[in-house]
């Protein structure tokens, strides 16, 4: 490990060949490869890269990276940027040919957002009213909408008590306010934690416990923290 310059970092997140950092003063910084505009610094060239943090304008409270990056600003508005072949930016656009509808700077998508998660080519958000939304790639039912239809704009997943969401490769895990955890999508190697290898296109509860504090999706698995 080599320290990134500065001692006032609050959060960090990674994507393919790029990183994003959030400082305690609410500034957001990106570095690495700018392929498909993923650095969000309003540079459209794929050949540009940054070997040190470069600031993205605005004041921010939450960041997350997967196939692309997304962030929430101090007003609760969610932004996305970068690659958009599967509609994963959520801006009601989808492009099948290069440059795949890329956006090299943050695009506002949704207000009143409390949590976010970017998967490989799909993304999720939870709003302050407890609703959860998904968009992008859906071949494995990873959008949780009981189908395999791709979405290029946020579509609500049933329920109004969601508090946290965390995406894996082609799967997703989420937590409700009652302390239960749920999963859906691709289930290779038992990644969904529901004691089988069956893929699910709608949320399925993991076990019966109601004392989960947090859950984190990974490429082909997940991790969770209980209160006891």
């Amino acid at each position: 490990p080599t320290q990134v310059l500065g001692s006032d970092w609050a959060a960090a997140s990674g994507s393919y060949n790029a990183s994003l950092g959030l400082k305690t003063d609410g500034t957001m910084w990106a570095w690495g490869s700018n392929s498909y505009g993923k650095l969000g610094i309003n540079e459209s060239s794929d050949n540009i890269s940054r070997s040190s943090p470069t600031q993205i304008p605005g004041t921010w409270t939450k960041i997350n990276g997967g196939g692309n990056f997304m962030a929430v600003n101090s007003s609760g508005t969610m932004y996305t940027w970068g690659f958009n072949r599967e509609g994963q930016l959520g801006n009601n656009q989808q492009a099948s040919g290069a440059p795949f509808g890329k956006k090299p700077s943050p695009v506002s998508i949704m207000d009143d957002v409390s949590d976010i998660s970017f998967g490989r080519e799909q993304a999720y958000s939870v709003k302050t009213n407890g609703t959860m939304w998904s968009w992008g790639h859906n071949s494995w039912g990873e959008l949780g909408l009981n189908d395999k239809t791709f979405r290029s704009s946020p579509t609500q997943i049933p329920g109004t008590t969601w508090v946290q969401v965390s995406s894996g490769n082609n799967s997703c895990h989420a937590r409700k306010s009652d302390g239960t955890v749920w999963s859906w999508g691709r289930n290779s190697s038992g990644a969904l934690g529901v004691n089988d290898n069956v893929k699910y296109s709608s949320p399925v509860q993991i076990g019966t416990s109601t004392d989960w504090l947090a859950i984190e999706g990974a490429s082909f698995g997940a991790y969770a923290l209980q209160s006891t």
Side-chain angles (χ1 to χ4, degrees), residues 161-208:
T161 59
W162 302 102
V163 293
Q164 184 204 353
V165 61
S166 183
S167 179
N169 191 356
N170 294 112
S171 61
C172 191
H173 300 76
R175 183 169 55 92
K176 289 187 174 183
S177 58
D178 62 2
T180 58
V181 290
W182 302 70
S183 61
W184 59 95
R186 189 175 184 180
N187 198 19
S188 299
S189 305
L192 299 186
V194 293
N195 201 32
D196 60 38
N197 290 312
V198 178
K199 61 178 179 289
Y200 293 90
S201 59
S202 297
V204 178
Q205 186 175 349
I206 302 174
T208 59

Side-chain angles (χ1 to χ4, degrees), residues 36 82-103 121 136 150-152:
Y36 301 105
F83 187 72
N84 200 31
R85 182 176 63 185
E86 311 295 357
Q88 61 262 54
L89 295 188
N91 65 338
N92 201 30
Q93 297 178 6
Q94 186 175 347
S96 59
F100 300 114
K102 67 180 179 183
K103 299 294 181 181
E121 294 179 320
F150 289 27
R151 303 294 200 289
S152 60

Side-chain angles (χ1 to χ4, degrees), residues 25-203:
D25 63 1
T27 57
M28 181 167 61
W29 304 73
W31 59 98
S33 169
N34 191 50
S35 58
Y36 301 105
K38 69 171 56 179
L39 294 186
I41 56 176
N42 202 29
E43 292 281 359
S44 59
S45 174
D46 292 342
N47 296 321
I48 290 175
S49 61
R50 295 287 188 271
S51 59
S52 59
T54 301
Q55 187 175 354
I56 300 172
T59 303
W60 307 88
T61 61
K62 189 178 287 288
I63 60 174
N64 189 265
N68 285 330
F69 287 119
M70 60 197 308
V72 178
N73 71 5
S74 56
S75 298
T77 302
M78 180 190 72
Y79 289 75
T80 62
W81 60 96
F83 187 72
N84 200 31
R85 182 176 63 185
E86 311 295 357
Q88 61 262 54
L89 295 188
N91 65 338
N92 201 30
Q93 297 178 6
Q94 186 175 347
S96 59
F100 300 114
K102 67 180 179 183
K103 299 294 181 181
S105 58
V107 177
S108 63
I109 304 298
M110 178 183 292
D111 294 328
D112 302 318
V113 174
S114 60
D115 197 30
I116 52 176
S117 184
F118 224 124
R120 182 179 179 181
E121 294 179 320
Q122 78 280 4
Y124 309 85
S125 66
V126 175
K127 299 188 74 171
T128 55
N129 63 5
T131 59
M132 180 162 58
W133 303 72
S134 63
W135 58 97
H137 188 275
N138 197 29
S139 290
W140 301 91
E142 59 263 48
L143 296 188
L145 300 169
N146 199 32
D147 60 34
K148 295 182 180 180
T149 303
F150 289 27
R151 303 294 200 289
S152 60
S153 58
T155 303
Q156 186 180 348
I157 297 173
T160 58
T161 59
W162 302 102
V163 293
Q164 184 204 353
V165 61
S166 183
S167 179
N169 191 356
N170 294 112
S171 61
C172 191
H173 300 76
R175 183 169 55 92
K176 289 187 174 183
S177 58
D178 62 2
T180 58
V181 290
W182 302 70
S183 61
W184 59 95
R186 189 175 184 180
N187 198 19
S188 299
S189 305
L192 299 186
V194 293
N195 201 32
D196 60 38
N197 290 312
V198 178
K199 61 178 179 289
Y200 293 90
S201 59
S202 297

